[in-house]
């Protein structure tokens, strides 16, 4: 079910968006907040869009009247404004706005903010009109804006302070608590947030002045002119660049150097860009590299970008260096932030969408860091203990049960998308420790060998799957767009073998999805009545 919108107010640019919403959904204009509130009952309105210019006092007052109307607390209220300052957008979120969007937003932008309908999981945090809910939304905006500063929070129990660098919490204090424990306490459902204040500051912690500093790039391109040109551009921007004239030498250098980012051409002799991507992803030594596909085939790149296939980013090869530099910088930004946090001795929080767990562990091993690492994807939760860059122990839980040691580390490496939180600790003596990087590589190699051995058996299985409906709903919200039709077909009773036989999907993709569903406890085989689990490594 799609949303049914009520719109309040107007902007010079709002007619285009309203016409689009009217064509795609049910959209009803309302003169004011009272009319919008009445439409909730009379027309079944599920969301309110407020068009107001937050850059003017009149626009702020108009938005405020809608946001403070108690009759509208049952639905999300989204403010669409002409470009307003960060302080104005924070004020709107503080008053209860579920989101503040620019007036050039399109229907997809509305859908990303609100989801596809009133049952979408993104709605719930928008309905939390408490100051704690407002704080959560403000922190999300500050992260998107790469904000440097301090958020002072007044709770019913103790004052708290969150220090942000480029939008990430790098320092947190709440009473006697520090680090991630303090952040968790401030945002806990049981905590009553009375007020909070956002203050910009460049002195929270010194962010890296050069966001390309220390980022290693491997450039693979068979065109000597283009390769030397783009190498010069990237080197001038501050990256550490190595180049390769063909895919074979590029793959050898990738395995030897373990670059942070690999930029590869698509069409090359003998081995093309697709094979390069497959080789990089399949080798534990290079699996964590961010991959940028750089090609002159513009129409193909447009299609791939929409489909999200293969690489982490796509750049059109048109001779202009600025876009390539920006994309490579964005792909390496999480590594730069992590290295800066480790150097400063502050906590780090990131996502596997930006930085793989393998890459994070590689940085901890290289820096000889002692830390507690938490990996969580909303279904599984793993805690790892790292001492002086070596693996000590790990414990985790998922729908499939409890995990420990190397098996818990293997589970953590399989979680995506997931959040990762690093809290630095002091070095200690441990009876058993293992080199972290070699252990990660070994687990990945063993897991890959195991998956290849088991793949045929699973794909030959003609038994349908039985699903845990609650876990399935959570899984659908987190899985990739490409996986959703496969999951839907399996949920409808089609067996893995029948899906492969139909020829619509790649067999390895089907197998990966089935294995993931079973490992997370979302599905089990009906024939046996018992969950089929992947063999635990270690």
């Amino acid at each position: 079910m799609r949303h049914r919108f009520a719109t309040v107010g107007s902007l010079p640019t709002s007619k285009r968006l309203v016409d689009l919403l009217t064509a795609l959904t049910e959209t009803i204009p309302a003169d004011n907040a009272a009319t919008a509130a009445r439409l909730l009952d009379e027309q079944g309105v599920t969301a309110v869009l407020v068009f107001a210019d937050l850059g003017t006092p009149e626009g702020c007052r108009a938005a405020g009247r809608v946001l403070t109307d108690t009759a509208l607390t049952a639905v999300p209220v989204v403010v669409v404004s002409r470009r307003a300052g960060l302080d104005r957008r924070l004020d709107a979120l503080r008053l209860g706005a579920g989101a503040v969007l620019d007036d050039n937003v399109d229907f997809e932008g509305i859908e990303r903010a609100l989801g596809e309908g009133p049952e979408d999981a993104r709605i719930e945090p928008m309905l939390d009109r408490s100051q704690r809910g407002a704080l959560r939304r403000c922190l999300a905006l500050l992260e998107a804006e790469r904000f440097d500063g301090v958020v002072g929070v007044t709770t019913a129990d103790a004052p708290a302070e969150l220090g942000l660098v480029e939008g990430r919490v790098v320092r947190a204090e709440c009473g006697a608590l520090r680090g991630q424990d303090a952040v968790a306490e401030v945002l806990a459902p049981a905590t009553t947030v009375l007020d909070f204040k956002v203050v910009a500051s460049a002195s929270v912690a010194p962010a890296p002045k050069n966001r390309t500093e220390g980022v290693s790039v491997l450039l693979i391109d068979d065109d000597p002119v283009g390769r030397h040109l783009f190498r010069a551009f990237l080197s001038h921007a501050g990256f550490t660049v190595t180049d390769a004239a063909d895919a074979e030498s590029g793959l050898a250098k990738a395995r030897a150097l373990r670059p942070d980012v690999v930029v590869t051409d698509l069409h090359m002799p003998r081995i093309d860009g697709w094979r390069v991507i497959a080789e990089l992803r399949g080798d534990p030594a290079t699996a964590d590299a961010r991959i940028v596909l750089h090609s002159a085939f513009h129409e193909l790149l447009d299609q791939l970008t929409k489909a999200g296939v293969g690489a982490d980013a796509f750049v059109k090869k048109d001779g202009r260096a600025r876009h390539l530099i920006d994309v490579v910088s964005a792909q390496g930004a999480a590594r730069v932030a992590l290295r800066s946090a480790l150097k400063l001795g502050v906590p780090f929080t990131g996502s596997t969408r930006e930085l793989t767990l393998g890459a994070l562990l590689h940085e901890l091993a290289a820096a000889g860091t002692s830390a507690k690492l938490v990996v969580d994807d909303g279904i599984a939760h793993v805690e790892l203990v790292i001492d002086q860059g070596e693996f000590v122990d790990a414990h985790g839980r998922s729908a499939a049960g409890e995990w420990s040691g190397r098996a818990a580390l293997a589970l953590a490496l399989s979680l995506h998308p997931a959040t990762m939180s690093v809290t630095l600790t002091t070095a200690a003596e441990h009876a058993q420790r293992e080199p972290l990087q070699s252990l990660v590589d070994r687990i990945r190699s063993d897991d890959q060998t195991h998956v290849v051995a088991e793949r045929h058996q699973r794909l030959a299985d003609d038994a349908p799957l039985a699903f845990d409906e609650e876990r399935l709903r959570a899984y659908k919200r987190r899985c990739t767009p490409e996986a959703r039709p496969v999951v839907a077909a399996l949920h409808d009773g089609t067996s893995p073998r029948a899906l492969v036989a139909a020829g619509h999907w790649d067999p390895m993709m089907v197998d990966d999805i089935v294995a993931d569903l079973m490992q997370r406890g979302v599905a089990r085989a009906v024939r046996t009545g018992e969950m089929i689990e992947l063999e635990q490594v270690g």
Side-chain angles (χ1 to χ4, degrees):
M1 174 184 174
R2 288 194 178 277
H3 283 287
R4 183 173 294 176
F5 294 100
T7 60
V8 181
S10 64
L11 290 169
T13 56
S14 63
K15 185 178 184 304
R16 173 191 58 82
L17 178 58
V18 172
D19 290 345
L20 181 62
L21 288 172
T22 303
L24 297 175
T25 65
E26 296 185 58
T27 303
I28 308 167
D31 296 330
N32 49 43
T35 305
R38 191 169 65 251
L39 292 174
L40 266 63
D41 296 325
E42 296 178 359
Q43 301 292 335
V45 163
T46 62
V48 177
L49 296 180
V50 182
F51 294 93
D53 188 349
L54 296 180
T56 66
E58 296 80 8
C60 289
R61 286 194 290 269
R65 284 192 290 270
V66 180
L67 293 171
T68 55
D69 192 312
T70 56
L72 295 176
T73 56
V75 296
V77 179
V78 174
V79 176
V80 180
S81 170
R82 304 187 74 170
R83 293 189 179 276
L86 179 61
D87 56 342
R88 297 293 190 186
R89 286 179 284 164
L90 290 171
D91 287 341
L93 294 173
R94 184 192 294 271
L95 287 175
V100 180
L101 307 176
D102 289 335
D103 63 341
N104 61 357
V105 69
D106 55 13
F107 179 75
E108 290 182 353
I110 297 284
E111 198 171 61
R112 279 195 298 272
L114 283 167
E116 298 179 357
E119 301 302 321
D120 195 286
R122 281 165 282 192
I123 297 299
E124 186 175 345
M126 292 186 174
L127 298 180
D128 186 352
R129 297 295 201 271
S130 68
Q131 285 295 290
R132 183 177 58 83
L135 175 61
R136 281 183 174 274
R137 294 190 290 273
C138 287
L139 289 175
L141 175 60
L142 294 174
E143 181 176 4
E145 293 292 320
R146 304 176 74 90
F147 175 82
D148 290 345
V150 175
V151 180
V153 184
T154 303
T155 74
D157 298 321
E161 188 172 275
L162 309 177
L164 280 69
V165 173
E166 295 192 348
R168 298 175 181 272
V169 177
V170 299
R171 176 172 56 78
E173 300 176 6
C174 181
L177 299 176
R178 298 291 184 271
Q180 293 300 317
D181 292 338
V183 176
E185 178 67 20
V186 171
L187 299 178
T191 299
T192 301
V193 175
L194 303 176
D195 192 18
F196 61 92
K197 183 178 181 180
V198 179
V199 179
S201 171
S203 61
V204 179
K209 293 181 174 59
N210 185 352
R211 292 177 183 172
T212 66
E213 183 179 357
V215 177
S216 58
V217 179
L218 172 62
L219 178 63
I220 306 175
D221 196 326
D222 64 319
D223 174 17
V225 175
R227 185 174 70 254
H228 292 132
L229 179 65
F230 286 111
R231 172 171 181 158
F233 284 143
L234 292 169
S235 297
H236 182 72
F239 298 102
T240 302
V241 185
T242 304
D243 64 43
D246 54 54
E248 292 92 333
S249 61
L251 289 170
K253 289 181 178 180
R255 295 184 182 103
L257 301 176
R258 292 193 175 216
D260 300 331
V261 183
V262 176
V263 179
T264 179
D265 190 15
L266 178 58
H267 289 278
M268 295 180 287
R270 296 184 300 278
I271 297 178
D272 62 13
W274 302 122
R275 177 73 179 277
V276 170
I277 293 173
E279 292 283 342
L280 292 173
R281 295 298 188 216
D283 190 330
T286 57
D288 299 312
R290 308 296 291 180
I291 301 176
V292 177
L293 194 56
H294 192 212
S295 175
F297 289 81
H298 297 187
E299 293 182 1
L300 177 60
L301 287 182
D302 287 337
Q303 296 174 3
L304 295 173
T305 302
K306 292 177 182 176
V309 175
D312 296 297
F314 304 89
V315 181
K316 297 175 182 177
K317 188 188 291 185
D318 53 12
R320 292 180 295 179
R322 184 71 261 167
H323 188 203
L324 177 62
I325 291 171
D326 289 344
V327 169
V328 174
S329 179
Q331 293 302 317
R335 288 230 194 199
V336 173
L338 171 61
R339 289 166 182 165
S340 177
L342 296 180
K343 185 177 180 180
L344 295 167
V346 297
F348 171 83
T349 302
S351 166
T352 57
R353 295 184 187 277
E354 306 162 347
L355 181 74
T356 66
L357 175 59
L360 188 151
L361 293 173
H362 175 73
E363 295 294 335
L364 295 181
T369 303
S370 298
K372 174 185 175 183
L373 172 60
V374 177
V375 186
D376 193 304
D377 73 345
I379 298 175
H381 178 94
V382 182
E383 296 184 3
L384 300 94
V385 178
I386 310 298
D387 187 60
Q388 300 178 64
E390 296 188 322
F391 175 78
V392 175
D393 200 3
H395 296 279
R397 62 179 183 276
S398 71
E402 300 290 330
W403 308 71
S404 61
R406 295 189 213 175
L409 176 56
L411 173 64
L413 288 166
S414 73
L415 302 183
H416 179 76
T419 59
M420 304 178 294
S421 300
V422 178
T423 303
L424 303 187
T425 59
T426 56
E429 292 297 327
H430 295 280
Q432 293 185 335
R433 299 194 302 189
E434 294 187 65
L436 184 55
Q437 189 60 61
S438 61
L439 178 60
V440 170
D441 290 348
R442 191 162 64 252
I443 286 175
R444 281 176 162 170
S445 298
D446 292 346
D447 182 60
Q448 186 177 26
T449 302
H450 174 73
V451 167
V452 171
E454 294 293 320
R455 189 181 300 282
H456 182 267
Q457 179 180 341
R458 279 197 298 269
L459 292 181
D461 195 348
D462 199 31
L465 303 180
F467 285 83
D468 182 305
E469 297 298 329
E470 183 176 350
R471 291 172 182 164
L472 177 62
R473 283 193 292 271
Y475 188 86
K476 283 182 175 179
R477 290 196 295 268
R478 306 185 70 86
C479 70
T480 62
E482 310 90 69
R484 287 172 187 163
V486 178
V487 174
L490 293 169
H491 184 235
D492 289 340
T494 307
S495 70
R497 186 170 74 180
L499 274 183
V500 173
H504 298 306
W505 290 288
D506 175 61
M508 289 193 296
M509 176 183 174
V510 173
D511 178 70
D512 288 341
I513 293 171
V514 171
D516 193 45
L517 289 168
M518 290 180 171
Q519 187 178 29
R520 294 173 187 270
V522 179
R524 59 183 175 83
V526 171
R527 185 187 70 252
T528 61
E530 297 178 355
M531 189 186 324
I532 301 173
E533 296 181 338
L534 286 175
E535 179 181 319
Q536 295 186 8
V537 178

